[in-house]
Amino acid sequence: MKKELLFVIPSLTSGGGERSLVSLLSKIDYDLYNVDLFLLTHDGLFMDLLPSEVNLIPLSEEYKLFTLPIVHSMRKLLIQGKPSLAYNRIMFSMKNRYSDNLSKREQYNWKFISKSLDRLPKKYDVAVGFLEKTSIYFCVEKVDADKKMGWVHTDYDKLGMDTNIDNEYFSQLDHIITVSEECANILIRSFPEQKEKIAVIYNIVSPTMIKKMANETNHDLYLKKEDEVIILSIGRLHNHKGFEMAVEACKKVIDRGYKIKWNIIGDGEERDKLTQLIKANELQNTFILLGLKTNPYPYIKQADIYAQTSRVEGKSIAIDEAKILNKPILVTNFSTASDQINDNVDGLIVEMDSDAIANGIEKLIVEKSLREMFIKNLAGLQLGTEQEIDKLYDLIK
């Protein structure tokens, strides 16, 4: 008999965790497992990439009303005789206004938004909250399963979260999965009582699939000019990604006389802030926000340098993808950088400021032999992680 699996994640809009889930679902053996997926938002960049075997669970009418703009939500909830839910909608809105830390805001708001979410009627063999915070909380409170797992995709220390809240939920999980050894060490330091539950499963990346998709577009995506160096970064437009440092570094490199075009694939809450910074530095034709791309691989393939200027990463899927496509890579020295890059062997690790980033980019432009060494060393690595699915199967058993 097939085992019944449930995965929970807020959306498939964009992001490394979301891309990781789609990759994992593409590798599941559907002869052995039935898979349900619970999303809080039924649209997004990666929805079309879901395997046809995955069953998407419909959202409740109460939740749909709860997530309407507050005036419409309140009116409809009160008309339908749901004053308690209307009260929670008000509290949800108020808490969103008064908390600067997005992670803590999501933690504290769960108690309000959870009132609009029904407990799932189906019993599962295994339920997986595939992203920290809401996904795990839903898995613990709203799902009946023989075994429950939570997935943490980032450096937990850097999120500034309330560990007391998470410890309460982590204590009710059978396994806590994270994406690198360093992320696991960080979780053990934060939650020593949960040490025996913590396991590492790397993000699933398939070189065969990535190389195939990278060749789907052959025309010049960047309209590259003669002697121009194309730099690419991928990530949500969020403070954690440090893109304002990238803008400042871009300006410094240009002021030194180099012809570059720096492109960002991604979207997020800092788009307006970054647009203003780009304009202030007169980089409108040089630092380009490309938005979201369903298939980023041709952009990686056609770039000369891949740069990850993050403050926080767990294990970056984008870096792994750039490695598979043999791109010279620059990363900032976030806590897990050395998990992915051997400094001066297959990439550069630089300090987390715009001067160091600019100096690193200049070094990669000037030292052609260094770029060629990185490309050669990356080409010799075995970078596929499809076998990581077996670790999940072991935990499921």
Side-chain angles (χ1 to χ4, degrees):
M1 184 185 300
K2 291 185 180 181
K3 284 187 177 290
E4 299 291 336
L5 306 186
L6 171 72
F7 290 89
V8 180
I9 196 168
S11 77
L12 293 177
T13 303
S14 64
E18 292 82 352
R19 202 149 84 231
S20 175
L21 177 58
V22 170
S23 295
L24 186 154
L25 292 174
S26 73
K27 295 299 178 183
I28 290 277
D29 186 345
Y30 292 97
D31 290 330
L32 299 177
Y33 302 99
N34 291 322
V35 176
D36 286 357
L37 175 63
F38 184 85
L39 302 173
L40 292 173
T41 303
H42 283 199
D43 55 23
L45 188 66
F46 303 128
M47 289 293 290
D48 291 341
L49 301 179
L50 281 176
S52 59
E53 296 91 343
V54 174
N55 174 51
L56 189 60
I57 297 174
L59 291 165
S60 70
E61 290 305 313
E62 284 191 345
Y63 176 75
K64 291 177 182 178
L65 293 178
F66 190 94
T67 53
L68 290 172
I70 185 166
V71 174
H72 298 298
S73 176
M74 291 288 297
R75 184 172 69 247
K76 288 181 177 292
L77 289 171
L78 290 172
I79 288 173
Q80 294 191 17
K82 302 179 187 296
S84 175
L85 197 53
Y87 166 79
N88 280 283
R89 180 64 179 86
I90 292 173
M91 295 304 296
F92 176 82
S93 180
M94 290 177 63
K95 288 291 184 181
N96 272 333
R97 294 178 185 175
Y98 296 116
S99 177
D100 291 332
N101 184 302
L102 294 176
S103 295
K104 277 188 177 177
R105 184 191 304 175
E106 185 176 338
Q107 286 185 293
Y108 297 151
N109 273 333
W110 168 250
K111 65 181 178 181
F112 303 118
I113 198 170
S114 67
K115 301 297 190 294
S116 69
L117 293 164
D118 296 330
R119 189 173 180 85
L120 299 186
K122 183 175 175 179
K123 170 74 180 290
Y124 292 92
D125 293 293
V126 179
V128 182
F130 200 75
L131 208 60
E132 53 274 1
K133 304 181 292 271
T134 298
S135 302
I136 293 174
Y137 307 160
F138 183 95
C139 209
V140 169
E141 291 190 0
K142 302 292 183 179
V143 181
D144 184 9
D146 292 331
K147 186 178 288 188
K148 295 184 179 182
M149 306 180 190
W151 221 289
V152 178
H153 284 266
T154 191
D155 174 346
Y156 187 91
D157 278 353
K158 296 297 192 294
L159 297 178
M161 297 205 292
D162 187 330
T163 56
N164 292 321
I165 291 176
D166 277 340
N167 196 47
E168 177 184 346
Y169 285 97
F170 286 176
S171 67
Q172 298 177 71
L173 297 173
D174 297 282
H175 300 287
I176 302 165
I177 302 167
T178 192
V179 294
S180 76
E181 283 76 11
E182 181 58 25
C183 286
N185 292 333
I186 290 164
L187 281 174
I188 290 168
R189 290 198 297 270
S190 299
F191 303 96
E193 61 273 44
Q194 309 295 343
K195 179 180 179 179
E196 299 307 314
K197 297 180 180 179
I198 296 170
V200 174
I201 298 179
Y202 298 137
N203 294 316
I204 292 175
V205 291
S206 168
T208 301
M209 180 198 73
I210 288 169
K211 290 174 182 178
K212 179 182 177 182
M213 293 179 69
N215 291 323
E216 287 181 359
T217 301
N218 293 316
H219 66 273
D220 182 1
L221 293 166
Y222 297 111
L223 303 177
K224 183 177 179 178
K225 299 175 183 176
E226 187 177 358
D227 297 328
E228 190 174 54
V229 175
I230 301 297
I231 303 166
L232 177 66
S233 302
I234 298 175
R236 184 179 173 192
L237 305 187
H238 185 283
N239 177 261
H240 287 172
K241 299 301 180 182
F243 286 137
E244 80 285 355
M245 292 189 293
V247 174
E248 293 163 2
C250 180
K251 174 66 172 173
K252 290 172 181 178
V253 173
I254 288 171
D255 287 347
R256 295 174 191 177
Y258 297 100
K259 293 170 63 177
I260 67 171
K261 186 179 287 183
W262 198 317
N263 302 267
I264 307 290
I265 291 177
D267 208 349
E269 54 268 42
E270 290 212 334
R271 172 174 277 277
D272 290 343
K273 177 182 174 181
L274 288 170
T275 299
Q276 291 301 318
L277 186 60
I278 291 165
K279 185 176 181 181
N281 284 279
E282 299 181 341
L283 297 174
Q284 294 95 321
N285 297 319
T286 310
F287 198 97
I288 312 297
L289 302 179
L290 295 173
L292 298 171
K293 302 293 178 184
T294 305
N295 181 6
Y297 306 123
Y299 291 87
I300 300 174
K301 180 182 177 182
Q302 293 185 29
D304 297 302
I305 296 169
Y306 182 82
Q308 195 79 37
T309 60
S310 301
R311 295 184 171 90
V312 182
E313 288 288 347
K315 193 169 190 296
S316 167
I317 296 176
I319 292 174
D320 284 343
E321 292 166 340
K323 288 168 70 174
I324 286 168
L325 293 173
N326 301 158
K327 294 290 113 177
I329 297 169
L330 176 145
V331 303
T332 43
N333 193 24
F334 46 83
S335 62
T336 58
S338 59
D339 282 354
Q340 292 187 269
I341 294 294
N342 292 316
D343 188 29
N344 279 301
V345 176
D346 51 28
L348 279 184
I349 300 177
V350 302
E351 291 306 308
M352 203 177 290
D353 62 69
S354 60
D355 285 330
I357 295 167
N359 292 340
I361 293 295
E362 181 178 23
K363 184 174 183 177
L364 287 173
I365 293 171
V366 172
E367 298 184 26
K368 183 180 179 182
S369 62
L370 182 66
R371 295 201 311 272
E372 291 175 346
M373 182 185 76
F374 290 166
I375 292 168
K376 179 181 178 181
N377 289 343
L378 288 168
L381 296 177
Q382 297 295 318
L383 295 169
T385 57
E386 296 96 330
Q387 74 282 357
E388 290 296 294
I389 194 74
D390 294 330
K391 294 182 183 178
L392 178 61
Y393 292 157
D394 288 342
L395 294 180
I396 288 172
K397 294 172 184 175

